[in-house]
Amino acid sequence: MAQKFEKTIIFFGLEDVLVKGKLDESFKEKQVKQMLAKAKELEDKDDLKIILFSGSSKEIAMQKIKENKLTDYFKKENIRLIDNFYLKQKSDLDRKLYEKNIMENSTFKDEYFKQWTVQQEAEKTDLKKFLLVGHDILFDAYYTLKFSQIDFVLIKSALSDTHLKSNNLFEGLPYIKRTWADLSKALEGKVKLQNADAFIKMFEKQIALKLVGKDKLFGIVNMALEKKAGENAVNLQN
């Protein structure tokens, strides 16, 4: 009996998802190829559509794709990389910032490109059919919830936060292994994010702590509470 999937369009990240990066010592290429072979088999039957994308420069991404023979699994039109069309969509300020970042660091990744790619595909298909496979808590979980708002899963063994290795397992986030067994459960809707609002609030608090420091943040919160209390007292007097 054929499997029935809730998700029929998969967006695969490249680095640390389908190719070995710096985050996951347990990475097994054979396991990835088995997973992709099954996905391609179903795509050939029109049961799935598999898309590969990366925020790396086109040159670096294509080098990794060719070295790992991923063109054996993805159709040419479904390999989505940064190009002039995407760059022209940016504001002048954002485009100049991107060019500056690439000039200073050739490995720079424009992580928003992945969200933009999903949004372009969304013009043709129901968002409920989409699944993003990533590994980064900020760029693949938080960004996806804030921008494209599709379902996603994270590769647990390559978990990172802002490209840095992380052991911080947020409760309710959907984690999988790089296996067809785990991926197919996500496609069937059996592995899903639980309580998105709670994750967003917790993660945004974590970001705030990193940006301003714990003591300063609590000071800001206390000042806001004191101001609010003062306003209430004035209102009561009036």
Side-chain angles (χ1 to χ4, degrees), residues 1 28 110 114 175 214 234:
M1 182 182 294
K28 294 182 178 63
D110 181 348
K114 294 189 286 189
Y175 304 105
K214 184 176 180 181
V234 170

Side-chain angles (χ1 to χ4, degrees), residues 1-237:
M1 182 182 294
Q3 286 175 285
K4 296 294 183 182
F5 296 129
E6 283 187 8
K7 312 298 176 186
T8 55
I9 300 181
I10 315 173
F11 295 86
F12 285 103
L14 178 61
E15 297 88 350
D16 289 299
V17 176
L18 298 182
V19 303
K20 184 174 175 59
K22 299 178 180 179
L23 297 169
D24 187 1
E25 293 300 323
S26 67
F27 182 90
K28 294 182 178 63
E29 182 179 359
K30 183 179 179 181
Q31 200 174 50
V32 170
K33 298 298 174 64
Q34 289 173 341
M35 177 179 70
L36 289 177
K38 185 63 178 178
K40 184 179 185 302
E41 178 187 326
L42 290 170
E43 183 176 53
D44 291 342
K45 297 177 181 177
D46 294 325
D47 291 333
L48 288 179
K49 180 177 182 178
I50 55 175
I51 295 171
L52 174 61
F53 57 10
S54 171
S56 293
S57 70
K58 189 172 185 176
E59 294 73 21
I60 287 179
M62 275 309 304
Q63 181 181 350
K64 292 180 179 179
I65 289 168
K66 289 177 180 178
E67 286 175 353
N68 291 274
K69 299 181 179 179
L70 295 179
T71 51
D72 293 347
Y73 303 95
F74 293 91
K75 297 176 181 177
K76 184 178 180 180
E77 64 269 24
N78 289 340
I79 297 177
R80 314 286 175 81
L81 305 175
I82 291 175
D83 56 14
N84 287 331
F85 179 74
Y86 168 68
L87 294 176
K88 286 178 181 178
Q89 311 301 308
K90 288 178 172 288
S91 67
D92 288 342
L93 180 62
D94 284 344
R95 186 165 55 254
K96 288 176 182 177
L97 182 59
Y98 173 80
E99 291 169 353
K100 178 177 181 289
N101 284 327
I102 282 291
M103 190 175 297
E104 293 176 353
N105 177 12
S106 62
T107 64
F108 171 76
K109 296 177 185 176
D110 181 348
E111 293 290 356
Y112 182 71
F113 172 72
K114 294 189 286 189
Q115 302 301 320
W116 180 85
T117 300
V118 171
Q119 289 164 355
Q120 295 300 299
E121 193 70 22
E123 295 178 1
K124 314 168 199 172
T125 313
D126 184 355
L127 285 173
K128 293 178 181 178
K129 299 290 185 181
F130 292 179
L131 180 71
L132 184 150
V133 183
H135 68 90
D136 194 272
I137 299 169
L138 174 63
F139 299 126
D140 297 321
Y142 182 76
Y143 268 31
T144 299
L145 286 168
K146 283 293 188 177
F147 297 115
S148 60
Q149 298 179 345
I150 64 171
D151 284 330
F152 63 89
V153 289
L154 304 175
I155 303 297
K156 188 175 182 180
S157 58
L159 191 65
S160 66
D161 185 351
T162 326
H163 296 151
L164 298 175
K165 180 72 175 176
S166 175
N167 295 314
N168 188 9
L169 296 175
F170 282 90
E171 185 177 351
L173 285 185
Y175 304 105
I176 67 167
K177 298 175 184 176
R178 289 186 196 84
T179 64
W180 175 251
D182 269 22
L183 180 59
S184 63
K185 288 177 184 176
L187 295 174
E188 290 168 356
K190 295 178 180 178
V191 180
K192 284 186 176 181
L193 172 69
Q194 304 295 321
N195 201 339
D197 290 341
F199 164 70
I200 289 172
K201 288 177 182 177
M202 190 182 304
F203 191 68
E204 287 179 345
K205 180 180 178 181
Q206 178 177 296
I207 293 172
L209 286 168
K210 287 180 180 177
L211 289 174
V212 302
K214 184 176 180 181
D215 294 338
K216 190 177 289 185
L217 178 65
F218 288 156
I220 292 170
V221 171
N222 286 333
M223 285 173 61
L225 291 173
E226 288 170 5
K227 181 181 178 183
K228 186 67 177 176
E231 290 171 354
N232 290 340
V234 170
N235 290 335
L236 286 172
Q237 289 173 3

